[in-house]
Amino acid sequence: MCRYSLEWRLPHVPCPGERVLIAVDVPAGSPVPPEVMALWKPGAGYAVCWNSLTVKPIRRWSAEAKGAARKRNLRRRLEKKMPLFADMLAEEEIARRPGYFAGE
């Protein structure tokens, strides 16, 4: 499902009336409903807006994936700034903060 609405979109001009004139829920992929387009006037400050109503669950990284990404980013930063000492500095940093690079 998605929602088409007619909302005030001029941030530096106070809204003359309702902030949202109309909101219509329709199936995803549907065109703008005619009742929304009937109220829209070009240059009036209101814009046709689209919002998705289906909420996907947030996908969290596992501790292993988070730790691997942190090690990879550390390696990339060190290779860019100090390529000769990148291995040594990466090992020292991982030994200094093992929990962080384990994904905790």
Side-chain angles (χ1 to χ4, degrees), residues 6-102:
L6 199 58
E7 300 178 14
W8 183 255
R9 288 295 178 185
L10 294 179
H12 303 294
V13 178
C15 183
E18 293 290 323
R19 182 152 168 65
V20 178
L21 290 182
I22 189 171
V24 179
D25 296 343
V26 295
S30 299
V32 180
E35 53 266 22
V36 173
M37 291 306 292
L39 294 176
W40 179 70
K41 306 258 185 313
Y46 286 93
V48 177
C49 299
W50 179 90
N51 294 317
S52 176
L53 297 179
T54 56
V55 179
K56 291 184 179 180
I58 297 173
R59 292 183 55 200
R60 301 286 180 192
W61 284 27
S62 66
E64 296 82 22
K66 195 183 299 184
R70 289 174 176 172
K71 288 177 186 176
R72 187 175 53 247
N73 291 339
L74 172 68
R75 167 72 71 196
R76 188 177 63 232
R77 285 193 304 270
L78 290 173
E79 286 287 339
K80 185 176 180 182
K81 292 191 179 201
M82 297 168 268
L84 291 177
F85 304 106
D87 294 332
M88 181 183 66
L89 293 172
E91 289 172 8
E92 288 176 5
E93 187 65 22
I94 291 170
R96 190 171 69 88
R97 300 189 312 172
Y100 178 77
F101 289 103

